Amino acid sequence: MTSWDPELYREFDDHRSRPFLDLVARIGAPDPALPRVVDAGCGPGHLTGLLARRWPAATIEAFDSSPEMVGAARDAGVPADRIDVRDWTPPRDTGVIVTNAVLHWVPEHPDVLRRWMASLAPGAWLAMQVPANFAAPSHVLTREVATQPRWRDRILLRGAETVLDPLGYADLLATGGAEVEAWETTYLQRLDGDDPVLRWISGTALRPVRDALDDDAYAAFLEELAPRLRAAYPPNADGSTWFPFRRVFAVARKP
């Protein structure tokens, strides 16, 4: 179980929120045919309220597998439950499932998506988004450091095989005749401050590294990684840094 730091995760809140907004905008349901709207993997709950605003008559349900994230969501007034997506099945009255930046942590998530689609009633929607930056320098360099003799027996990181491309998700979700829209977007994010890419991935991609190492070892790992990231993502003249981030989206409506 990966541990999470909700405050660190939300440090780049604006950048992390954009894919959620773009995903929800493509759900073509002014009012769901069924009353339940689910935020599957709600994180700290800071975006769950947007679902309530989009569908004010719906019953909003939120859950996450992380106790830290569930605690943060509850502190924010979101009545989240602690549930793993692998253990959850949509109730029959579910009109919309939104799962944002969650499924890449679950290697068997294609099977999870098939099960969810099979469980949904006709007219229900499933909308998903996963980061797809595993082949980017930020992630490649992290894996390179993790495979050094000092770390390779202590750290296990997944590679680019973690997620499918848009065609893969379209084929998966279209089984049974569902209407599917799938696409990818590369967000060119402008980050500020010292070692901004290192700070960005510290809230997400580096969480398994943080869990595997004690404080001193983790600091040593970051010392090895930081100069590689600086070379791969040099700052602009104004001190900011461009960070391209690819994400894959799919929205499906059950026939």
Side-chain angles (χ1 to χ4, degrees):
M1 178 69 68
T2 303
S3 66
W4 290 90
D5 182 335
E7 291 303 316
L8 181 60
Y9 182 83
R10 292 193 63 180
E11 182 176 345
F12 297 97
D13 189 24
D14 180 56
H15 293 302
R16 298 198 197 281
S17 298
R18 289 177 194 168
F20 181 94
L21 297 173
D22 290 346
L23 177 67
V24 172
R26 298 305 302 166
I27 302 173
D31 291 300
L34 299 160
R36 187 184 305 269
V37 172
V38 181
D39 190 353
C42 63
H46 60 302
L47 298 174
T48 306
L50 298 177
L51 301 180
R53 274 183 289 225
R54 170 76 187 272
W55 296 292
T59 298
I60 306 298
E61 177 180 316
F63 66 85
D64 200 282
S65 63
S66 163
E68 298 90 353
M69 290 297 200
V70 168
R74 290 174 177 172
D75 289 344
V78 176
D81 293 315
R82 186 182 175 192
I83 304 173
D84 192 301
V85 295
R86 287 167 287 204
D87 301 326
W88 181 76
T89 298
R92 195 64 175 170
D93 65 345
T94 300
V96 176
I97 300 172
V98 177
T99 181
N100 180 67
V102 175
L103 296 177
H104 59 296
W105 295 103
V106 182
E108 65 272 32
H109 73 265
D111 293 332
V112 172
L113 288 171
R114 290 186 190 96
R115 178 167 54 81
W116 287 1
M117 286 298 291
S119 300
L120 289 174
W125 293 77
L126 192 160
M128 57 154 291
Q129 179 271 126
V130 286
N133 232 29
F134 299 96
S138 55
H139 290 61
V140 171
L141 293 172
T142 299
R143 292 195 297 271
E144 284 182 3
V145 174
T147 57
Q148 297 301 307
R150 181 178 182 182
W151 310 114
R152 63 188 176 200
D153 293 331
R154 305 169 68 181
I155 300 169
L156 177 63
L157 297 176
R158 300 189 186 103
E161 74 285 351
T162 301
V163 300
L164 306 180
D165 61 12
L167 178 59
Y169 287 115
D171 282 342
L172 187 158
L173 294 171
T175 301
E179 301 171 14
V180 179
E181 179 184 11
W183 71 98
E184 66 177 69
T185 299
T186 298
Y187 295 87
L188 189 57
Q189 301 176 166
R190 191 168 194 159
L191 307 182
D192 297 308
D194 297 330
D195 290 323
V197 175
L198 181 66
R199 291 199 342 270
W200 171 279
I201 65 173
S202 293
T204 52
L206 286 180
R207 298 310 300 172
V209 178
R210 185 66 189 94
D211 287 344
L213 304 176
D214 61 30
D215 291 349
D216 291 340
Y218 183 61
F221 185 94
L222 297 185
E223 285 181 7
E224 289 189 40
L225 179 59
R228 301 178 190 224
L229 293 177
R230 290 185 208 117
Y233 299 96
N236 302 312
D238 64 359
S240 66
T241 299
W242 291 118
F243 182 45
F245 202 104
R246 175 176 174 253
R247 295 180 182 266
V248 172
F249 301 77
V251 175
R253 183 178 183 273
K254 183 81 174 278

mmCIF file of all heavy atoms in Angstrom, residues 111-129:
data_model
loop_
_atom_site.group_PDB
_atom_site.id
_atom_site.type_symbol
_atom_site.label_atom_id
_atom_site.label_comp_id
_atom_site.label_asym_id
_atom_site.label_seq_id
_atom_site.Cartn_x
_atom_site.Cartn_y
_atom_site.Cartn_z
ATOM 1 N N ASP A 111 -8.880 -5.286 -16.098
ATOM 2 C CA ASP A 111 -9.922 -6.197 -15.613
ATOM 3 C C ASP A 111 -10.929 -5.471 -14.731
ATOM 4 O O ASP A 111 -12.130 -5.776 -14.759
ATOM 5 C CB ASP A 111 -9.296 -7.357 -14.832
ATOM 6 C CG ASP A 111 -8.470 -8.279 -15.713
ATOM 7 O OD1 ASP A 111 -8.774 -8.366 -16.922
ATOM 8 O OD2 ASP A 111 -7.522 -8.901 -15.202
ATOM 9 N N VAL A 112 -10.445 -4.512 -13.942
ATOM 10 C CA VAL A 112 -11.351 -3.708 -13.113
ATOM 11 C C VAL A 112 -12.323 -2.936 -13.999
ATOM 12 O O VAL A 112 -13.540 -2.899 -13.747
ATOM 13 C CB VAL A 112 -10.548 -2.740 -12.222
ATOM 14 C CG1 VAL A 112 -11.481 -1.761 -11.503
ATOM 15 C CG2 VAL A 112 -9.708 -3.510 -11.201
ATOM 16 N N LEU A 113 -11.823 -2.334 -15.066
ATOM 17 C CA LEU A 113 -12.696 -1.563 -15.960
ATOM 18 C C LEU A 113 -13.727 -2.459 -16.641
ATOM 19 O O LEU A 113 -14.901 -2.077 -16.774
ATOM 20 C CB LEU A 113 -11.848 -0.840 -17.008
ATOM 21 C CG LEU A 113 -11.022 0.341 -16.495
ATOM 22 C CD1 LEU A 113 -10.067 0.825 -17.581
ATOM 23 C CD2 LEU A 113 -11.925 1.482 -16.044
ATOM 24 N N ARG A 114 -13.324 -3.636 -17.059
ATOM 25 C CA ARG A 114 -14.281 -4.564 -17.677
ATOM 26 C C ARG A 114 -15.383 -4.934 -16.688
ATOM 27 O O ARG A 114 -16.567 -4.989 -17.048
ATOM 28 C CB ARG A 114 -13.545 -5.819 -18.150
ATOM 29 C CG ARG A 114 -12.618 -5.609 -19.333
ATOM 30 C CD ARG A 114 -12.054 -6.923 -19.835
ATOM 31 N NE ARG A 114 -10.982 -6.697 -20.812
ATOM 32 C CZ ARG A 114 -9.693 -6.693 -20.520
ATOM 33 N NH1 ARG A 114 -9.291 -6.926 -19.280
ATOM 34 N NH2 ARG A 114 -8.800 -6.471 -21.463
ATOM 35 N N ARG A 115 -14.996 -5.179 -15.452
ATOM 36 C CA ARG A 115 -15.985 -5.561 -14.433
ATOM 37 C C ARG A 115 -16.937 -4.408 -14.152
ATOM 38 O O ARG A 115 -18.148 -4.603 -14.014
ATOM 39 C CB ARG A 115 -15.263 -6.013 -13.163
ATOM 40 C CG ARG A 115 -16.193 -6.391 -12.020
ATOM 41 C CD ARG A 115 -15.441 -7.125 -10.922
ATOM 42 N NE ARG A 115 -14.285 -6.389 -10.449
ATOM 43 C CZ ARG A 115 -14.340 -5.391 -9.566
ATOM 44 N NH1 ARG A 115 -15.510 -4.998 -9.079
ATOM 45 N NH2 ARG A 115 -13.238 -4.787 -9.168
ATOM 46 N N TRP A 116 -16.401 -3.200 -14.062
ATOM 47 C CA TRP A 116 -17.259 -2.037 -13.828
ATOM 48 C C TRP A 116 -18.252 -1.852 -14.962
ATOM 49 O O TRP A 116 -19.443 -1.631 -14.727
ATOM 50 C CB TRP A 116 -16.404 -0.779 -13.667
ATOM 51 C CG TRP A 116 -15.669 -0.698 -12.368
ATOM 52 C CD1 TRP A 116 -15.662 -1.606 -11.346
ATOM 53 C CD2 TRP A 116 -14.808 0.370 -11.958
ATOM 54 N NE1 TRP A 116 -14.858 -1.182 -10.327
ATOM 55 C CE2 TRP A 116 -14.313 0.028 -10.676
ATOM 56 C CE3 TRP A 116 -14.386 1.556 -12.549
ATOM 57 C CZ2 TRP A 116 -13.431 0.855 -9.972
ATOM 58 C CZ3 TRP A 116 -13.506 2.379 -11.861
ATOM 59 C CH2 TRP A 116 -13.049 2.030 -10.579
ATOM 60 N N MET A 117 -17.768 -1.931 -16.193
ATOM 61 C CA MET A 117 -18.663 -1.749 -17.331
ATOM 62 C C MET A 117 -19.755 -2.815 -17.347
ATOM 63 O O MET A 117 -20.920 -2.521 -17.639
ATOM 64 C CB MET A 117 -17.872 -1.784 -18.636
ATOM 65 C CG MET A 117 -17.052 -0.529 -18.912
ATOM 66 S SD MET A 117 -18.045 0.985 -19.079
ATOM 67 C CE MET A 117 -18.886 0.654 -20.634
ATOM 68 N N ALA A 118 -19.399 -4.049 -17.010
ATOM 69 C CA ALA A 118 -20.392 -5.119 -16.992
ATOM 70 C C ALA A 118 -21.432 -4.896 -15.899
ATOM 71 O O ALA A 118 -22.595 -5.317 -16.041
ATOM 72 C CB ALA A 118 -19.704 -6.466 -16.791
ATOM 73 N N SER A 119 -21.044 -4.222 -14.815
ATOM 74 C CA SER A 119 -21.951 -4.018 -13.683
ATOM 75 C C SER A 119 -22.876 -2.828 -13.867
ATOM 76 O O SER A 119 -23.915 -2.745 -13.202
ATOM 77 C CB SER A 119 -21.143 -3.823 -12.389
ATOM 78 O OG SER A 119 -20.343 -4.950 -12.108
ATOM 79 N N LEU A 120 -22.517 -1.903 -14.731
ATOM 80 C CA LEU A 120 -23.316 -0.687 -14.894
ATOM 81 C C LEU A 120 -24.622 -0.977 -15.626
ATOM 82 O O LEU A 120 -24.702 -1.856 -16.486
ATOM 83 C CB LEU A 120 -22.520 0.361 -15.668
ATOM 84 C CG LEU A 120 -21.339 1.007 -14.939
ATOM 85 C CD1 LEU A 120 -20.563 1.913 -15.887
ATOM 86 C CD2 LEU A 120 -21.812 1.790 -13.724
ATOM 87 N N ALA A 121 -25.622 -0.198 -15.299
ATOM 88 C CA ALA A 121 -26.915 -0.286 -15.978
ATOM 89 C C ALA A 121 -26.858 0.505 -17.284
ATOM 90 O O ALA A 121 -26.003 1.398 -17.456
ATOM 91 C CB ALA A 121 -28.020 0.261 -15.076
ATOM 92 N N PRO A 122 -27.740 0.205 -18.232
ATOM 93 C CA PRO A 122 -27.785 0.979 -19.476
ATOM 94 C C PRO A 122 -27.952 2.474 -19.200
ATOM 95 O O PRO A 122 -28.704 2.880 -18.320
ATOM 96 C CB PRO A 122 -29.011 0.405 -20.197
ATOM 97 C CG PRO A 122 -29.118 -1.000 -19.690
ATOM 98 C CD PRO A 122 -28.708 -0.919 -18.230
ATOM 99 N N GLY A 123 -27.212 3.262 -19.962
ATOM 100 C CA GLY A 123 -27.274 4.711 -19.817
ATOM 101 C C GLY A 123 -26.247 5.287 -18.873
ATOM 102 O O GLY A 123 -26.079 6.514 -18.812
ATOM 103 N N ALA A 124 -25.530 4.444 -18.123
ATOM 104 C CA ALA A 124 -24.529 4.937 -17.179
ATOM 105 C C ALA A 124 -23.233 5.297 -17.905
ATOM 106 O O ALA A 124 -22.940 4.801 -18.993
ATOM 107 C CB ALA A 124 -24.257 3.880 -16.110
ATOM 108 N N TRP A 125 -22.450 6.163 -17.244
ATOM 109 C CA TRP A 125 -21.199 6.670 -17.821
ATOM 110 C C TRP A 125 -20.011 6.253 -16.956
ATOM 111 O O TRP A 125 -20.104 6.234 -15.727
ATOM 112 C CB TRP A 125 -21.229 8.194 -17.894
ATOM 113 C CG TRP A 125 -22.217 8.764 -18.852
ATOM 114 C CD1 TRP A 125 -23.568 8.870 -18.666
ATOM 115 C CD2 TRP A 125 -21.942 9.316 -20.134
ATOM 116 N NE1 TRP A 125 -24.158 9.452 -19.757
ATOM 117 C CE2 TRP A 125 -23.182 9.738 -20.680
ATOM 118 C CE3 TRP A 125 -20.782 9.498 -20.884
ATOM 119 C CZ2 TRP A 125 -23.280 10.344 -21.939
ATOM 120 C CZ3 TRP A 125 -20.879 10.093 -22.137
ATOM 121 C CH2 TRP A 125 -22.113 10.509 -22.651
ATOM 122 N N LEU A 126 -18.886 5.974 -17.616
ATOM 123 C CA LEU A 126 -17.614 5.735 -16.933
ATOM 124 C C LEU A 126 -16.579 6.651 -17.571
ATOM 125 O O LEU A 126 -16.383 6.624 -18.795
ATOM 126 C CB LEU A 126 -17.186 4.272 -17.055
ATOM 127 C CG LEU A 126 -16.020 3.801 -16.169
ATOM 128 C CD1 LEU A 126 -16.039 2.269 -16.047
ATOM 129 C CD2 LEU A 126 -14.656 4.225 -16.690
ATOM 130 N N ALA A 127 -15.921 7.469 -16.751
ATOM 131 C CA ALA A 127 -14.913 8.403 -17.248
ATOM 132 C C ALA A 127 -13.620 8.180 -16.489
ATOM 133 O O ALA A 127 -13.602 8.159 -15.258
ATOM 134 C CB ALA A 127 -15.399 9.844 -17.065
ATOM 135 N N MET A 128 -12.526 8.008 -17.213
ATOM 136 C CA MET A 128 -11.241 7.709 -16.582
ATOM 137 C C MET A 128 -10.129 8.548 -17.199
ATOM 138 O O MET A 128 -10.183 8.947 -18.357
ATOM 139 C CB MET A 128 -10.901 6.225 -16.743
ATOM 140 C CG MET A 128 -10.863 5.746 -18.189
ATOM 141 S SD MET A 128 -9.783 4.317 -18.448
ATOM 142 C CE MET A 128 -8.171 5.035 -18.180
ATOM 143 N N GLN A 129 -9.117 8.805 -16.371
ATOM 144 C CA GLN A 129 -7.910 9.496 -16.810
ATOM 145 C C GLN A 129 -6.728 8.908 -16.069
ATOM 146 O O GLN A 129 -6.795 8.666 -14.863
ATOM 147 C CB GLN A 129 -8.033 10.995 -16.523
ATOM 148 C CG GLN A 129 -6.817 11.829 -16.908
ATOM 149 C CD GLN A 129 -5.770 11.944 -15.802
ATOM 150 O OE1 GLN A 129 -4.588 11.645 -16.010
ATOM 151 N NE2 GLN A 129 -6.194 12.363 -14.609
#
